[in-house]
PDB file of all heavy atoms in Angstrom:
ATOM      1  N   ARG C1220       0.845  -1.192   0.000  1.00  0.00           N
ATOM      2  CA  ARG C1220       0.000   0.000   0.000  1.00  0.00           C
ATOM      3  C   ARG C1220       0.882   1.245   0.000  1.00  0.00           C
ATOM      4  O   ARG C1220       2.002   1.221   0.486  1.00  0.00           O
ATOM      5  CB  ARG C1220      -0.912   0.022   1.222  1.00  0.00           C
ATOM      6  CG  ARG C1220      -2.039  -0.972   1.119  1.00  0.00           C
ATOM      7  CD  ARG C1220      -3.011  -0.870   2.262  1.00  0.00           C
ATOM      8  NE  ARG C1220      -2.325  -1.101   3.530  1.00  0.00           N
ATOM      9  CZ  ARG C1220      -2.528  -0.363   4.618  1.00  0.00           C
ATOM     10  NH1 ARG C1220      -3.378   0.617   4.613  1.00  0.00           N
ATOM     11  NH2 ARG C1220      -1.867  -0.621   5.715  1.00  0.00           N
ATOM     12  N   SER C1221       0.334   2.323  -0.547  1.00  0.00           N
ATOM     13  CA  SER C1221       1.092   3.567  -0.630  1.00  0.00           C
ATOM     14  C   SER C1221       0.149   4.742  -0.371  1.00  0.00           C
ATOM     15  O   SER C1221      -1.056   4.573  -0.164  1.00  0.00           O
ATOM     16  CB  SER C1221       1.733   3.711  -2.016  1.00  0.00           C
ATOM     17  OG  SER C1221       0.726   3.925  -2.999  1.00  0.00           O
ATOM     18  N   LEU C1222       0.702   5.915  -0.426  1.00  0.00           N
ATOM     19  CA  LEU C1222      -0.097   7.129  -0.275  1.00  0.00           C
ATOM     20  C   LEU C1222      -1.177   7.212  -1.355  1.00  0.00           C
ATOM     21  O   LEU C1222      -2.260   7.737  -1.107  1.00  0.00           O
ATOM     22  CB  LEU C1222       0.817   8.360  -0.316  1.00  0.00           C
ATOM     23  CG  LEU C1222       0.176   9.704   0.004  1.00  0.00           C
ATOM     24  CD1 LEU C1222      -0.513   9.685   1.359  1.00  0.00           C
ATOM     25  CD2 LEU C1222       1.243  10.791  -0.026  1.00  0.00           C
ATOM     26  N   ALA C1223      -0.904   6.662  -2.517  1.00  0.00           N
ATOM     27  CA  ALA C1223      -1.918   6.639  -3.584  1.00  0.00           C
ATOM     28  C   ALA C1223      -3.165   5.882  -3.134  1.00  0.00           C
ATOM     29  O   ALA C1223      -4.297   6.317  -3.399  1.00  0.00           O
ATOM     30  CB  ALA C1223      -1.335   6.008  -4.847  1.00  0.00           C
ATOM     31  N   ASP C1224      -2.976   4.784  -2.429  1.00  0.00           N
ATOM     32  CA  ASP C1224      -4.118   4.001  -1.941  1.00  0.00           C
ATOM     33  C   ASP C1224      -4.904   4.762  -0.876  1.00  0.00           C
ATOM     34  O   ASP C1224      -6.133   4.716  -0.856  1.00  0.00           O
ATOM     35  CB  ASP C1224      -3.638   2.659  -1.381  1.00  0.00           C
ATOM     36  CG  ASP C1224      -2.961   1.826  -2.443  1.00  0.00           C
ATOM     37  OD1 ASP C1224      -3.631   1.472  -3.424  1.00  0.00           O
ATOM     38  OD2 ASP C1224      -1.756   1.563  -2.293  1.00  0.00           O
ATOM     39  N   ILE C1225      -4.195   5.455  -0.021  1.00  0.00           N
ATOM     40  CA  ILE C1225      -4.868   6.259   1.007  1.00  0.00           C
ATOM     41  C   ILE C1225      -5.695   7.359   0.345  1.00  0.00           C
ATOM     42  O   ILE C1225      -6.840   7.605   0.724  1.00  0.00           O
ATOM     43  CB  ILE C1225      -3.844   6.836   1.999  1.00  0.00           C
ATOM     44  CG1 ILE C1225      -3.195   5.693   2.785  1.00  0.00           C
ATOM     45  CG2 ILE C1225      -4.497   7.847   2.941  1.00  0.00           C
ATOM     46  CD1 ILE C1225      -1.976   6.088   3.577  1.00  0.00           C
ATOM     47  N   SER C1226      -5.117   7.995  -0.675  1.00  0.00           N
ATOM     48  CA  SER C1226      -5.835   9.053  -1.389  1.00  0.00           C
ATOM     49  C   SER C1226      -7.095   8.514  -2.059  1.00  0.00           C
ATOM     50  O   SER C1226      -8.157   9.130  -1.987  1.00  0.00           O
ATOM     51  CB  SER C1226      -4.923   9.691  -2.439  1.00  0.00           C
ATOM     52  OG  SER C1226      -3.814  10.292  -1.832  1.00  0.00           O
ATOM     53  N   TRP C1227      -6.984   7.352  -2.713  1.00  0.00           N
ATOM     54  CA  TRP C1227      -8.151   6.780  -3.359  1.00  0.00           C
ATOM     55  C   TRP C1227      -9.173   6.274  -2.352  1.00  0.00           C
ATOM     56  O   TRP C1227     -10.378   6.303  -2.633  1.00  0.00           O
ATOM     57  CB  TRP C1227      -7.751   5.684  -4.351  1.00  0.00           C
ATOM     58  CG  TRP C1227      -7.513   6.293  -5.692  1.00  0.00           C
ATOM     59  CD1 TRP C1227      -6.310   6.613  -6.247  1.00  0.00           C
ATOM     60  CD2 TRP C1227      -8.517   6.713  -6.612  1.00  0.00           C
ATOM     61  NE1 TRP C1227      -6.510   7.213  -7.460  1.00  0.00           N
ATOM     62  CE2 TRP C1227      -7.850   7.283  -7.716  1.00  0.00           C
ATOM     63  CE3 TRP C1227      -9.901   6.671  -6.625  1.00  0.00           C
ATOM     64  CZ2 TRP C1227      -8.534   7.798  -8.807  1.00  0.00           C
ATOM     65  CZ3 TRP C1227     -10.582   7.192  -7.720  1.00  0.00           C
ATOM     66  CH2 TRP C1227      -9.907   7.746  -8.795  1.00  0.00           C
ATOM     67  N   ALA C1228      -8.731   5.834  -1.192  1.00  0.00           N
ATOM     68  CA  ALA C1228      -9.689   5.410  -0.164  1.00  0.00           C
ATOM     69  C   ALA C1228     -10.600   6.568   0.218  1.00  0.00           C
ATOM     70  O   ALA C1228     -11.814   6.385   0.386  1.00  0.00           O
ATOM     71  CB  ALA C1228      -8.960   4.873   1.056  1.00  0.00           C
ATOM     72  N   VAL C1229     -10.032   7.752   0.335  1.00  0.00           N
ATOM     73  CA  VAL C1229     -10.831   8.939   0.677  1.00  0.00           C
ATOM     74  C   VAL C1229     -11.828   9.239  -0.435  1.00  0.00           C
ATOM     75  O   VAL C1229     -13.013   9.501  -0.179  1.00  0.00           O
ATOM     76  CB  VAL C1229      -9.910  10.149   0.938  1.00  0.00           C
ATOM     77  CG1 VAL C1229     -10.724  11.416   1.110  1.00  0.00           C
ATOM     78  CG2 VAL C1229      -9.021   9.901   2.147  1.00  0.00           C
ATOM     79  N   ILE C1230     -11.371   9.199  -1.680  1.00  0.00           N
ATOM     80  CA  ILE C1230     -12.259   9.477  -2.812  1.00  0.00           C
ATOM     81  C   ILE C1230     -13.396   8.463  -2.869  1.00  0.00           C
ATOM     82  O   ILE C1230     -14.575   8.826  -3.000  1.00  0.00           O
ATOM     83  CB  ILE C1230     -11.455   9.471  -4.128  1.00  0.00           C
ATOM     84  CG1 ILE C1230     -10.489  10.660  -4.157  1.00  0.00           C
ATOM     85  CG2 ILE C1230     -12.392   9.487  -5.346  1.00  0.00           C
ATOM     86  CD1 ILE C1230      -9.429  10.574  -5.233  1.00  0.00           C
ATOM     87  N   LEU C1231     -13.051   7.183  -2.753  1.00  0.00           N
ATOM     88  CA  LEU C1231     -14.081   6.150  -2.820  1.00  0.00           C
ATOM     89  C   LEU C1231     -15.045   6.232  -1.644  1.00  0.00           C
ATOM     90  O   LEU C1231     -16.251   6.000  -1.799  1.00  0.00           O
ATOM     91  CB  LEU C1231     -13.425   4.773  -2.908  1.00  0.00           C
ATOM     92  CG  LEU C1231     -12.647   4.515  -4.202  1.00  0.00           C
ATOM     93  CD1 LEU C1231     -11.870   3.213  -4.095  1.00  0.00           C
ATOM     94  CD2 LEU C1231     -13.570   4.512  -5.403  1.00  0.00           C
ATOM     95  N   GLU C1232     -14.528   6.580  -0.480  1.00  0.00           N
ATOM     96  CA  GLU C1232     -15.397   6.748   0.685  1.00  0.00           C
ATOM     97  C   GLU C1232     -16.402   7.868   0.451  1.00  0.00           C
ATOM     98  O   GLU C1232     -17.582   7.752   0.784  1.00  0.00           O
ATOM     99  CB  GLU C1232     -14.567   7.011   1.940  1.00  0.00           C
ATOM    100  CG  GLU C1232     -15.381   7.244   3.187  1.00  0.00           C
ATOM    101  CD  GLU C1232     -16.250   6.068   3.592  1.00  0.00           C
ATOM    102  OE1 GLU C1232     -15.905   4.910   3.314  1.00  0.00           O
ATOM    103  OE2 GLU C1232     -17.307   6.322   4.214  1.00  0.00           O
ATOM    104  N   ARG C1233     -15.956   8.959  -0.119  1.00  0.00           N
ATOM    105  CA  ARG C1233     -16.877  10.078  -0.394  1.00  0.00           C
ATOM    106  C   ARG C1233     -17.927   9.677  -1.424  1.00  0.00           C
ATOM    107  O   ARG C1233     -19.090  10.050  -1.317  1.00  0.00           O
ATOM    108  CB  ARG C1233     -16.116  11.316  -0.876  1.00  0.00           C
ATOM    109  CG  ARG C1233     -15.211  11.922   0.165  1.00  0.00           C
ATOM    110  CD  ARG C1233     -15.980  12.320   1.436  1.00  0.00           C
ATOM    111  NE  ARG C1233     -15.068  12.690   2.497  1.00  0.00           N
ATOM    112  CZ  ARG C1233     -14.784  11.942   3.556  1.00  0.00           C
ATOM    113  NH1 ARG C1233     -15.367  10.774   3.722  1.00  0.00           N
ATOM    114  NH2 ARG C1233     -13.951  12.356   4.474  1.00  0.00           N
ATOM    115  N   LEU C1234     -17.516   8.923  -2.425  1.00  0.00           N
ATOM    116  CA  LEU C1234     -18.479   8.443  -3.420  1.00  0.00           C
ATOM    117  C   LEU C1234     -19.482   7.489  -2.780  1.00  0.00           C
ATOM    118  O   LEU C1234     -20.663   7.496  -3.124  1.00  0.00           O
ATOM    119  CB  LEU C1234     -17.750   7.782  -4.587  1.00  0.00           C
ATOM    120  CG  LEU C1234     -16.948   8.740  -5.460  1.00  0.00           C
ATOM    121  CD1 LEU C1234     -16.057   7.970  -6.417  1.00  0.00           C
ATOM    122  CD2 LEU C1234     -17.861   9.691  -6.207  1.00  0.00           C
ATOM    123  N   ARG C1235     -19.012   6.672  -1.834  1.00  0.00           N
ATOM    124  CA  ARG C1235     -19.932   5.781  -1.101  1.00  0.00           C
ATOM    125  C   ARG C1235     -20.949   6.607  -0.323  1.00  0.00           C
ATOM    126  O   ARG C1235     -22.145   6.327  -0.352  1.00  0.00           O
ATOM    127  CB  ARG C1235     -19.151   4.866  -0.152  1.00  0.00           C
ATOM    128  CG  ARG C1235     -20.055   3.844   0.568  1.00  0.00           C
ATOM    129  CD  ARG C1235     -19.347   3.210   1.752  1.00  0.00           C
ATOM    130  NE  ARG C1235     -19.054   4.162   2.798  1.00  0.00           N
ATOM    131  CZ  ARG C1235     -19.959   4.675   3.666  1.00  0.00           C
ATOM    132  NH1 ARG C1235     -21.223   4.319   3.586  1.00  0.00           N
ATOM    133  NH2 ARG C1235     -19.597   5.535   4.601  1.00  0.00           N
ATOM    134  N   GLU C1236     -20.449   7.641   0.359  1.00  0.00           N
ATOM    135  CA  GLU C1236     -21.344   8.495   1.144  1.00  0.00           C
ATOM    136  C   GLU C1236     -22.380   9.202   0.268  1.00  0.00           C
ATOM    137  O   GLU C1236     -23.480   9.499   0.721  1.00  0.00           O
ATOM    138  CB  GLU C1236     -20.542   9.534   1.917  1.00  0.00           C
ATOM    139  CG  GLU C1236     -19.750   8.953   3.060  1.00  0.00           C
ATOM    140  CD  GLU C1236     -18.859   9.974   3.751  1.00  0.00           C
ATOM    141  OE1 GLU C1236     -18.700  11.098   3.227  1.00  0.00           O
ATOM    142  OE2 GLU C1236     -18.315   9.636   4.813  1.00  0.00           O
ATOM    143  N   ALA C1237     -22.015   9.474  -0.969  1.00  0.00           N
ATOM    144  CA  ALA C1237     -22.926  10.162  -1.888  1.00  0.00           C
ATOM    145  C   ALA C1237     -23.839   9.190  -2.643  1.00  0.00           C
ATOM    146  O   ALA C1237     -24.582   9.597  -3.537  1.00  0.00           O
ATOM    147  CB  ALA C1237     -22.120  10.981  -2.897  1.00  0.00           C
ATOM    148  N   ASP C1238     -23.778   7.900  -2.264  1.00  0.00           N
ATOM    149  CA  ASP C1238     -24.589   6.857  -2.910  1.00  0.00           C
ATOM    150  C   ASP C1238     -24.305   6.721  -4.402  1.00  0.00           C
ATOM    151  O   ASP C1238     -25.211   6.517  -5.202  1.00  0.00           O
ATOM    152  CB  ASP C1238     -26.081   7.104  -2.672  1.00  0.00           C
ATOM    153  CG  ASP C1238     -26.481   6.896  -1.236  1.00  0.00           C
ATOM    154  OD1 ASP C1238     -25.873   6.045  -0.569  1.00  0.00           O
ATOM    155  OD2 ASP C1238     -27.398   7.598  -0.767  1.00  0.00           O
ATOM    156  N   TRP C1239     -23.030   6.811  -4.768  1.00  0.00           N
ATOM    157  CA  TRP C1239     -22.627   6.652  -6.162  1.00  0.00           C
ATOM    158  C   TRP C1239     -22.054   5.279  -6.447  1.00  0.00           C
ATOM    159  O   TRP C1239     -21.590   5.011  -7.551  1.00  0.00           O
ATOM    160  CB  TRP C1239     -21.606   7.727  -6.525  1.00  0.00           C
ATOM    161  CG  TRP C1239     -22.250   8.979  -7.013  1.00  0.00           C
ATOM    162  CD1 TRP C1239     -23.076   9.796  -6.317  1.00  0.00           C
ATOM    163  CD2 TRP C1239     -22.129   9.552  -8.306  1.00  0.00           C
ATOM    164  NE1 TRP C1239     -23.468  10.855  -7.085  1.00  0.00           N
ATOM    165  CE2 TRP C1239     -22.899  10.722  -8.314  1.00  0.00           C
ATOM    166  CE3 TRP C1239     -21.437   9.191  -9.447  1.00  0.00           C
ATOM    167  CZ2 TRP C1239     -23.006  11.532  -9.433  1.00  0.00           C
ATOM    168  CZ3 TRP C1239     -21.536  10.005 -10.557  1.00  0.00           C
ATOM    169  CH2 TRP C1239     -22.318  11.155 -10.548  1.00  0.00           C
ATOM    170  N   PHE C1240     -22.052   4.389  -5.473  1.00  0.00           N
ATOM    171  CA  PHE C1240     -21.421   3.098  -5.697  1.00  0.00           C
ATOM    172  C   PHE C1240     -22.096   2.284  -6.787  1.00  0.00           C
ATOM    173  O   PHE C1240     -21.438   1.553  -7.505  1.00  0.00           O
ATOM    174  CB  PHE C1240     -21.350   2.312  -4.396  1.00  0.00           C
ATOM    175  CG  PHE C1240     -20.030   2.455  -3.711  1.00  0.00           C
ATOM    176  CD1 PHE C1240     -19.227   3.559  -3.908  1.00  0.00           C
ATOM    177  CD2 PHE C1240     -19.585   1.475  -2.868  1.00  0.00           C
ATOM    178  CE1 PHE C1240     -18.010   3.689  -3.278  1.00  0.00           C
ATOM    179  CE2 PHE C1240     -18.365   1.596  -2.217  1.00  0.00           C
ATOM    180  CZ  PHE C1240     -17.579   2.698  -2.432  1.00  0.00           C
ATOM    181  N   GLU C1241     -23.385   2.382  -6.917  1.00  0.00           N
ATOM    182  CA  GLU C1241     -24.055   1.636  -7.983  1.00  0.00           C
ATOM    183  C   GLU C1241     -23.616   2.126  -9.351  1.00  0.00           C
ATOM    184  O   GLU C1241     -23.721   1.418 -10.339  1.00  0.00           O
ATOM    185  CB  GLU C1241     -25.579   1.699  -7.846  1.00  0.00           C
ATOM    186  CG  GLU C1241     -26.177   3.074  -8.112  1.00  0.00           C
ATOM    187  CD  GLU C1241     -26.138   4.002  -6.906  1.00  0.00           C
ATOM    188  OE1 GLU C1241     -25.697   3.595  -5.824  1.00  0.00           O
ATOM    189  OE2 GLU C1241     -26.565   5.163  -7.064  1.00  0.00           O
ATOM    190  N   VAL C1242     -23.076   3.321  -9.421  1.00  0.00           N
ATOM    191  CA  VAL C1242     -22.578   3.885 -10.673  1.00  0.00           C
ATOM    192  C   VAL C1242     -21.139   3.440 -10.934  1.00  0.00           C
ATOM    193  O   VAL C1242     -20.772   3.146 -12.069  1.00  0.00           O
ATOM    194  CB  VAL C1242     -22.646   5.430 -10.640  1.00  0.00           C
ATOM    195  CG1 VAL C1242     -21.990   6.048 -11.855  1.00  0.00           C
ATOM    196  CG2 VAL C1242     -24.084   5.896 -10.493  1.00  0.00           C
ATOM    197  N   ILE C1243     -20.308   3.379  -9.888  1.00  0.00           N
ATOM    198  CA  ILE C1243     -18.877   3.160 -10.108  1.00  0.00           C
ATOM    199  C   ILE C1243     -18.398   1.745  -9.836  1.00  0.00           C
ATOM    200  O   ILE C1243     -17.454   1.290 -10.452  1.00  0.00           O
ATOM    201  CB  ILE C1243     -18.032   4.143  -9.274  1.00  0.00           C
ATOM    202  CG1 ILE C1243     -18.270   3.943  -7.780  1.00  0.00           C
ATOM    203  CG2 ILE C1243     -18.283   5.560  -9.699  1.00  0.00           C
ATOM    204  CD1 ILE C1243     -17.290   4.659  -6.908  1.00  0.00           C
ATOM    205  N   LEU C1244     -19.037   1.047  -8.906  1.00  0.00           N
ATOM    206  CA  LEU C1244     -18.592  -0.302  -8.564  1.00  0.00           C
ATOM    207  C   LEU C1244     -19.591  -1.316  -9.104  1.00  0.00           C
ATOM    208  O   LEU C1244     -20.561  -1.660  -8.466  1.00  0.00           O
ATOM    209  CB  LEU C1244     -18.437  -0.458  -7.048  1.00  0.00           C
ATOM    210  CG  LEU C1244     -17.330   0.362  -6.412  1.00  0.00           C
ATOM    211  CD1 LEU C1244     -17.273   0.112  -4.917  1.00  0.00           C
ATOM    212  CD2 LEU C1244     -15.984   0.049  -7.040  1.00  0.00           C
ATOM    213  N   ASP C1245     -19.324  -1.759 -10.302  1.00  0.00           N
ATOM    214  CA  ASP C1245     -20.201  -2.735 -10.929  1.00  0.00           C
ATOM    215  C   ASP C1245     -19.355  -3.717 -11.733  1.00  0.00           C
ATOM    216  O   ASP C1245     -18.131  -3.722 -11.623  1.00  0.00           O
ATOM    217  CB  ASP C1245     -21.267  -2.045 -11.783  1.00  0.00           C
ATOM    218  CG  ASP C1245     -20.691  -1.215 -12.927  1.00  0.00           C
ATOM    219  OD1 ASP C1245     -19.515  -1.422 -13.298  1.00  0.00           O
ATOM    220  OD2 ASP C1245     -21.400  -0.356 -13.457  1.00  0.00           O
ATOM    221  N   GLN C1246     -19.992  -4.527 -12.543  1.00  0.00           N
ATOM    222  CA  GLN C1246     -19.292  -5.574 -13.285  1.00  0.00           C
ATOM    223  C   GLN C1246     -18.269  -5.023 -14.266  1.00  0.00           C
ATOM    224  O   GLN C1246     -17.364  -5.750 -14.684  1.00  0.00           O
ATOM    225  CB  GLN C1246     -20.299  -6.486 -14.003  1.00  0.00           C
ATOM    226  CG  GLN C1246     -21.040  -5.848 -15.150  1.00  0.00           C
ATOM    227  CD  GLN C1246     -22.251  -5.025 -14.736  1.00  0.00           C
ATOM    228  OE1 GLN C1246     -22.531  -4.881 -13.550  1.00  0.00           O
ATOM    229  NE2 GLN C1246     -22.955  -4.475 -15.695  1.00  0.00           N
ATOM    230  N   ARG C1247     -18.334  -3.752 -14.607  1.00  0.00           N
ATOM    231  CA  ARG C1247     -17.341  -3.170 -15.509  1.00  0.00           C
ATOM    232  C   ARG C1247     -15.990  -2.991 -14.832  1.00  0.00           C
ATOM    233  O   ARG C1247     -14.969  -2.848 -15.501  1.00  0.00           O
ATOM    234  CB  ARG C1247     -17.782  -1.794 -16.029  1.00  0.00           C
ATOM    235  CG  ARG C1247     -19.012  -1.813 -16.896  1.00  0.00           C
ATOM    236  CD  ARG C1247     -19.472  -0.402 -17.204  1.00  0.00           C
ATOM    237  NE  ARG C1247     -19.794   0.278 -15.953  1.00  0.00           N
ATOM    238  CZ  ARG C1247     -19.624   1.584 -15.747  1.00  0.00           C
ATOM    239  NH1 ARG C1247     -19.135   2.351 -16.676  1.00  0.00           N
ATOM    240  NH2 ARG C1247     -19.963   2.123 -14.596  1.00  0.00           N
ATOM    241  N   ARG C1248     -15.972  -2.964 -13.507  1.00  0.00           N
ATOM    242  CA  ARG C1248     -14.748  -2.690 -12.760  1.00  0.00           C
ATOM    243  C   ARG C1248     -14.529  -3.716 -11.637  1.00  0.00           C
ATOM    244  O   ARG C1248     -14.512  -3.366 -10.465  1.00  0.00           O
ATOM    245  CB  ARG C1248     -14.816  -1.275 -12.183  1.00  0.00           C
ATOM    246  CG  ARG C1248     -14.892  -0.209 -13.262  1.00  0.00           C
ATOM    247  CD  ARG C1248     -14.747   1.186 -12.679  1.00  0.00           C
ATOM    248  NE  ARG C1248     -14.891   2.164 -13.724  1.00  0.00           N
ATOM    249  CZ  ARG C1248     -16.026   2.837 -13.960  1.00  0.00           C
ATOM    250  NH1 ARG C1248     -17.076   2.664 -13.198  1.00  0.00           N
ATOM    251  NH2 ARG C1248     -16.072   3.700 -14.946  1.00  0.00           N
ATOM    252  N   PRO C1249     -14.313  -4.981 -11.996  1.00  0.00           N
ATOM    253  CA  PRO C1249     -14.133  -6.004 -10.954  1.00  0.00           C
ATOM    254  C   PRO C1249     -12.878  -5.788 -10.116  1.00  0.00           C
ATOM    255  O   PRO C1249     -12.887  -6.074  -8.911  1.00  0.00           O
ATOM    256  CB  PRO C1249     -14.078  -7.315 -11.734  1.00  0.00           C
ATOM    257  CG  PRO C1249     -13.668  -6.927 -13.120  1.00  0.00           C
ATOM    258  CD  PRO C1249     -14.248  -5.553 -13.345  1.00  0.00           C
ATOM    259  N   ALA C1250     -11.803  -5.313 -10.716  1.00  0.00           N
ATOM    260  CA  ALA C1250     -10.574  -5.084  -9.938  1.00  0.00           C
ATOM    261  C   ALA C1250     -10.787  -3.958  -8.927  1.00  0.00           C
ATOM    262  O   ALA C1250     -10.295  -4.034  -7.801  1.00  0.00           O
ATOM    263  CB  ALA C1250      -9.401  -4.762 -10.861  1.00  0.00           C
ATOM    264  N   LEU C1251     -11.516  -2.937  -9.300  1.00  0.00           N
ATOM    265  CA  LEU C1251     -11.806  -1.832  -8.378  1.00  0.00           C
ATOM    266  C   LEU C1251     -12.719  -2.312  -7.250  1.00  0.00           C
ATOM    267  O   LEU C1251     -12.523  -1.930  -6.091  1.00  0.00           O
ATOM    268  CB  LEU C1251     -12.422  -0.657  -9.124  1.00  0.00           C
ATOM    269  CG  LEU C1251     -12.637   0.628  -8.333  1.00  0.00           C
ATOM    270  CD1 LEU C1251     -11.330   1.143  -7.747  1.00  0.00           C
ATOM    271  CD2 LEU C1251     -13.271   1.693  -9.211  1.00  0.00           C
ATOM    272  N   CYS C1252     -13.676  -3.162  -7.564  1.00  0.00           N
ATOM    273  CA  CYS C1252     -14.546  -3.726  -6.522  1.00  0.00           C
ATOM    274  C   CYS C1252     -13.717  -4.524  -5.509  1.00  0.00           C
ATOM    275  O   CYS C1252     -13.900  -4.383  -4.300  1.00  0.00           O
ATOM    276  CB  CYS C1252     -15.613  -4.623  -7.133  1.00  0.00           C
ATOM    277  SG  CYS C1252     -16.878  -3.745  -8.078  1.00  0.00           S
ATOM    278  N   ALA C1253     -12.806  -5.361  -6.000  1.00  0.00           N
ATOM    279  CA  ALA C1253     -11.957  -6.166  -5.110  1.00  0.00           C
ATOM    280  C   ALA C1253     -11.027  -5.259  -4.310  1.00  0.00           C
ATOM    281  O   ALA C1253     -10.788  -5.497  -3.116  1.00  0.00           O
ATOM    282  CB  ALA C1253     -11.157  -7.170  -5.926  1.00  0.00           C
ATOM    283  N   TYR C1254     -10.539  -4.215  -4.934  1.00  0.00           N
ATOM    284  CA  TYR C1254      -9.666  -3.235  -4.268  1.00  0.00           C
ATOM    285  C   TYR C1254     -10.412  -2.552  -3.121  1.00  0.00           C
ATOM    286  O   TYR C1254      -9.882  -2.406  -2.018  1.00  0.00           O
ATOM    287  CB  TYR C1254      -9.204  -2.219  -5.308  1.00  0.00           C
ATOM    288  CG  TYR C1254      -8.430  -1.046  -4.787  1.00  0.00           C
ATOM    289  CD1 TYR C1254      -7.096  -1.173  -4.435  1.00  0.00           C
ATOM    290  CD2 TYR C1254      -9.024   0.212  -4.698  1.00  0.00           C
ATOM    291  CE1 TYR C1254      -6.366  -0.083  -3.992  1.00  0.00           C
ATOM    292  CE2 TYR C1254      -8.298   1.303  -4.260  1.00  0.00           C
ATOM    293  CZ  TYR C1254      -6.976   1.154  -3.911  1.00  0.00           C
ATOM    294  OH  TYR C1254      -6.252   2.230  -3.471  1.00  0.00           O
TER     295      TYR C1254
END
């Protein structure tokens, strides 16, 4: 893990809070879902 992962964790957390996960985490992005 690196600072890049910490930065993306914050971004993804904010998207989760905004209820955007159904838009970004789907079958088109399996590696991102696992991440």
Side-chain angles (χ1 to χ4, degrees):
R1220 286 185 301 136
S1221 69
L1222 188 55
D1224 298 298
I1225 294 168
S1226 298
W1227 271 100
V1229 172
I1230 292 166
L1231 294 172
E1232 178 62 29
R1233 294 302 171 255
L1234 291 169
R1235 184 195 65 75
E1236 289 175 350
D1238 291 328
W1239 272 63
F1240 264 25
E1241 69 277 357
V1242 173
I1243 62 168
L1244 293 180
D1245 61 18
Q1246 69 277 2
R1247 295 172 299 147
R1248 297 189 183 99
L1251 187 58
C1252 290
Y1254 173 77

